[in-house]
Amino acid sequence: MEQRSRTHAPDHTTANLVLIFVNMIWIFLVVWGAFGLGAVAILGAFLNHLITRLEFRLRQHG
């Protein structure tokens, strides 16, 4: 069989983070328009809490 050298897969981390940011912005704008700035603040605090819990769990297992 012919030996082929494998190339590394491209790193799409930056592109994924930018797309997550763009999606969060438009979701926040829709929530702001529908329910007001208070709902956006609560949603942001909730997401911050989830990210902090995820970070804490990953540090415990890692």
Side-chain angles (χ1 to χ4, degrees):
M1 287 208 127
E2 181 181 333
Q3 292 288 334
R4 295 183 192 171
S5 63
R6 292 186 178 201
T7 60
H8 293 288
D11 184 19
H12 296 294
T13 304
T14 304
N16 287 330
L17 289 173
V18 168
L19 287 175
I20 289 170
F21 175 73
V22 168
N23 283 322
M24 283 180 58
I25 291 294
W26 76 259
I27 290 169
F28 281 159
L29 287 173
V30 168
V31 170
W32 189 357
F35 302 108
L37 187 57
V40 174
I42 291 170
L43 182 60
F46 178 71
L47 288 173
N48 184 39
H49 178 70
L50 288 178
I51 291 169
T52 303
R53 285 186 59 190
L54 176 64
E55 179 186 12
F56 181 72
R57 185 175 293 173
L58 289 176
R59 286 185 187 215
Q60 281 184 338
H61 292 299

